[in-house]
Amino acid sequence: MQCSHKHLIGYLECTSFKLCKGFSTLLQSMDSLAYSDILQSFTDTHSLAPGKSVHAHMIRNHFKQNLFLQNNLLNLYCKCGDMNHAHKLFDEIPNKDIVSWNVLVSGYFQSGYSDEAIHVLKVARKAQIKLDRFAYAGAVSICSRTGNLSFGKAVHGLIVVSGFTKHAFLTNSLLDMYSKCGQIDEVRRVFDNSDHLDDVSWNSFVSAHVRIGLVFETLRIFAQMHLLGCKINCFAVGSVLKCCSYSNELLEFGRMVHSSVIKVGLDYDVFVGSSMIDMYAKNGILEEAINVFKGMADPNVVVFNAMISGFCQLKMESHNELAGESLTLYSEMRRKGMMPSKFTFSSVLRACNLTDSFELGKQIHAQVYKCNLQYDEFIGSALIDLYSKSGSIEDGLSCFHSIPKQDIVTWTSMISGYVQNEHFERALSLFDDLLTIGRKPDEFTLSSVMSACANLAISKSGEQIQSYVTKTGFDRYIIYGNAQIFMYARSGDTEAASQTFYEMVNHDVVSWSALISSHAQYGCAKEALALFSDMKCCGVAPNHITFLGVLTACSHGGLVDEGFRYFESMKRDYGMVPNMKHCACIVDLFGRSGRLDKAEKFIMDSGFQDDPIVWRSLLSSCRIHHDIERGRQVAEMLMQLDPNASASYVILYNMYLDSGRRSMALRTRELMKERGVKKEPGLSWIEMGGSIHSFVAGDKIHPRRQEIYALLEEMISRIERLGYVRNATSESDDLGLKRKVNLLNCHSEKLAVALGIFTLPKAAPIRVMKNLRVCVDCHTTMKLFSAVEGREIVLRDPIRFHRFRDGSCSCGDYW
């Protein structure tokens, strides 16, 4: 031993620690017991350097160390975390006893070296060392911490064989291990087969069921504890109150627990208090939560966190106002001199997000840096959400990259941020990065990615994600199923959307609304309204989105009276206040039927007379029904409300051209130039073979452009034989007639359809998306293309879907 520790003698002359002469002399006369006492004092204070010096002094003076002293030295190194020297010392102890093994195992465990601790246990077992109950308790704790279930079961077997099952603290360790490993059946087996249970055992049993999510079973056990007179601790009460936060049905039980808490004097405990605040807030009873908060004699940061979070949880009309209260509470907390935790910051940042307080959010971000919490993934996710909602997606990306330990929540926040800011390709690229590094997405990640596919209308990519989801079992989550319905609906595949809906086990209001809107966009009013009736029969209450789908169905189906009845029912029967989109649907409903007077009066009475969207809907109806004078007046009003919106000028321009007033059309064109209003360029795209092919009018960069133009010219020639006339009157420029005709033939959606016709199989529908509304000429052309080519063409614009089949369109004759 002396040879391996010669370097320790140098500690006697170390400048950072020197033994005084008197103390050195004192050590010369000490025996093993005295050495043990002084080593124990250094162990208690974690004073490794002086402990090493004493050890060096023993080696230098050739002091003969007995086993008791050697174990004390071993304990010093282990408690101080110097496991390298600890293991060397352990190896050189000639006659190790059970204490030696226990100390080394515990040292590895406390220092976080789980694999090494398990290895020592295996070596001890092979050497037939009979470990005591403390060693086994440490081993079980290691398995709890690492989730090593197989080794944990082996240790459990050794505990049984060794006859240690009578020790309650070992039973409690086993309950904790199986609980953290998700083995609730094993938890019950250990609990039921144990004859030595204490109050901790019962409380651990309760916590195990909470961790698994077995709410009603947890409450049953808690009630049984109460009947048996077991002493209930604050953690068990907190666990039960957490269960009561899940549902309003359990609130009454939570109130009973609250009463019991007051009787046993636990109502002042901060853990119990924060749990009660959380329970009442999640059940929407904010007044009770506030009363509990005010009743806390000395609330700490945990209690403040619960109350701040509670203000952000309520889903009601005054949500934003209540979230603002959480910011006030945060200020009060800071005035009291409390140091915010990562949970404080995440809740406060969420409040900033809900109240659109982005500048305040940036100030909170600065405080995060001051508290050195900028690398926390919990706060990082909240910051990403904040910057994403404010439109500062690059700042959100900087927060994402600054987090060293990116968990799945952080990845999901960044992907959702991209989707929220319409960076759909970047969202899909980031998802690929996630899979590349071997991380597993959750249902929220997959829902966001599917939303990106939906907005790009790329069903093939969506189908690949669906395959992954089916294999991994995430298709059981409603949030993902809803995203899949939305994806297929936006891609124009109502059959797949319906199939997804009917394959889901459970449906919420989002599921029903997505499918109703899908049929409404296709002009399938009858099917959409039938779904709405089924939804009500299933006891699902509609929301604003549901009624928007219903009104859209009535509008596209020409069901004027039915649509107005649904509109009134929304207000009368469900107490909903119509928003601008609902009113725009009613305006469109009246406009499609030619009731322009009623449409205009409705706008003036709706409270949205200053919103350009509702007036633009009326302007489109004026064009369809050739009400030029009313259209002119509406257009002038629109140009005042939204002078930079090109859509108003374009509709007015085309209205004048349709009526033969070419000079007025050209004047409108000149007015756009004078005011610097630029028309958004048309863009169409089609997905094939996992790639997206996009086109603009007269596109010259596609690698297969020669084939595309040749086929398009051939197709146009074929439909001309059916009576199609290349109409140039609706083109929005004053070029020569021949050039106008050429531009009409080169519309972006026609190019995309041509590519689909010679690339996709005959039976496959051609799905094309466009960023602008489809013009009359293209609509006519697509109907004829579907007839002469015998193909189904699905064309989606920002307003609706058009399914062309056998020379007709799903939208009917109205345009």
Side-chain angles (χ1 to χ4, degrees), residues 500-789:
T500 301
F501 177 85
Y502 290 113
E503 286 177 352
M504 292 171 63
V505 178
N506 298 306
H507 307 102
D508 60 8
V509 64
V510 179
S511 316
W512 287 98
S513 301
L515 194 61
I516 289 170
S517 298
S518 171
H519 284 83
Q521 290 292 331
Y522 262 104
C524 304
K526 184 177 179 180
E527 291 84 350
L529 297 181
L531 279 168
F532 182 65
S533 297
D534 293 343
M535 174 184 175
K536 291 189 293 183
C537 291
C538 291
V540 179
N543 61 14
H544 283 84
I545 305 298
T546 315
F547 274 107
L548 183 61
V550 169
L551 294 176
T552 301
C554 294
S555 177
H556 290 179
L559 306 175
V560 181
D561 295 333
E562 291 89 337
F564 202 75
R565 281 201 299 270
Y566 282 119
F567 182 76
E568 291 299 320
S569 173
M570 178 179 73
K571 297 186 292 182
R572 181 185 63 252
D573 300 332
Y574 296 95
M576 296 183 189
V577 178
N579 60 30
M580 179 274 299
K581 292 182 179 179
H582 296 122
C583 293
C585 279
I586 296 298
V587 173
D588 188 58
L589 194 67
F590 284 132
R592 284 174 182 266
S593 62
R595 306 179 192 181
L596 302 183
D597 289 333
K598 283 192 173 183
E600 187 172 0
K601 184 177 184 304
F602 178 83
I603 293 174
M604 299 306 296
D605 296 338
S606 67
F608 294 101
Q609 59 268 26
D610 293 331
D611 195 298
I613 294 179
V614 291
W615 288 108
R616 198 168 292 125
S617 177
L618 179 59
L619 179 59
S620 296
S621 297
C622 290
R623 178 194 172 190
I624 297 300
H625 295 286
H626 308 292
D627 192 336
I628 307 301
E629 183 57 29
R630 190 190 306 272
R632 182 188 62 79
Q633 295 174 2
V634 171
E636 289 178 356
M637 183 179 298
L638 274 168
M639 291 172 190
Q640 292 178 359
L641 292 174
D642 194 3
N644 296 318
S646 62
S648 305
Y649 294 88
V650 172
I651 296 172
L652 180 63
Y653 177 88
N654 288 324
M655 183 178 70
Y656 283 139
L657 283 181
D658 292 343
S659 63
R661 303 185 184 187
R662 182 173 177 79
S663 60
M664 296 294 292
L666 293 177
R667 174 65 190 131
T668 304
R669 176 79 170 179
E670 290 299 320
L671 193 61
M672 287 182 70
K673 291 181 179 179
E674 291 172 7
R675 296 179 177 178
V677 179
K678 295 184 179 180
K679 180 184 175 183
E680 182 182 358
L683 177 69
S684 299
W685 65 94
I686 182 173
E687 184 192 20
M688 294 187 304
S691 300
I692 299 175
H693 300 258
S694 57
F695 298 89
V696 295
D699 200 296
K700 300 295 183 183
I701 62 174
H702 195 276
R704 304 186 70 176
R705 57 188 177 278
Q706 292 182 349
E707 298 171 85
I708 292 171
Y709 282 111
L711 177 61
L712 186 58
E713 183 62 34
E714 180 185 337
M715 290 164 57
I716 291 176
S717 298
R718 292 175 64 185
I719 65 174
E720 283 180 330
R721 291 195 286 271
L722 297 178
Y724 168 70
V725 177
R726 308 190 192 203
N727 180 17
T729 59
S730 64
E731 264 307 295
S732 56
D733 59 29
D734 54 353
L735 299 175
L737 179 63
K738 183 176 180 181
R739 186 177 174 190
K740 292 178 190 176
V741 170
N742 288 336
L743 281 174
L744 276 172
N745 294 344
C746 300
H747 272 179
S748 60
E749 58 266 50
K750 294 179 183 179
L751 298 174
V753 167
L755 176 63
I757 284 176
F758 73 72
T759 303
L760 296 173
K762 185 80 173 178
I766 300 166
R767 306 183 190 278
V768 174
M769 313 300 149
K770 187 175 181 180
N771 65 330
L772 301 178
R773 189 170 184 178
V774 178
C775 70
V776 177
D777 178 78
C778 285
H779 189 265
T780 303
T781 305
M782 293 302 165
K783 287 198 293 187
L784 295 171
F785 281 171
S786 69
V788 299
E789 297 295 332

Side-chain angles (χ1 to χ4, degrees), residues 299-316:
N300 65 357
V301 66
V302 177
V303 178
F304 268 93
N305 288 347
M307 195 67 250
I308 290 171
S309 177
F311 278 121
C312 298
Q313 289 173 0
L314 297 183
K315 297 179 180 179
M316 54 179 65

Side-chain angles (χ1 to χ4, degrees), residues 402-462:
S402 69
I403 303 171
K405 184 182 177 183
Q406 297 164 339
D407 60 9
I408 191 60
V409 177
T410 311
W411 282 88
T412 302
S413 295
M414 194 65 244
I415 291 172
S416 299
Y418 277 141
V419 174
Q420 189 175 352
N421 286 272
E422 299 184 359
H423 294 278
F424 306 119
E425 294 89 348
R426 294 176 75 177
L428 295 175
S429 176
L430 190 61
F431 179 67
D432 286 338
D433 294 342
L434 173 70
L435 297 180
T436 300
I437 64 173
R439 300 297 297 272
K440 293 183 179 180
D442 61 12
E443 65 271 22
F444 302 103
T445 320
L446 295 165
S447 174
S448 296
V449 173
M450 194 61 90
S451 295
C453 294
N455 283 282
L456 290 172
I458 46 176
S459 57
K460 295 300 179 184
S461 298

Side-chain angles (χ1 to χ4, degrees), residues 484-503:
Q484 187 170 306
I485 294 172
F486 183 62
M487 185 275 295
Y488 280 122
R490 290 294 297 268
S491 300
D493 194 342
T494 53
E495 290 83 1
S498 298
Q499 183 179 347
T500 301
F501 177 85
Y502 290 113
E503 286 177 352

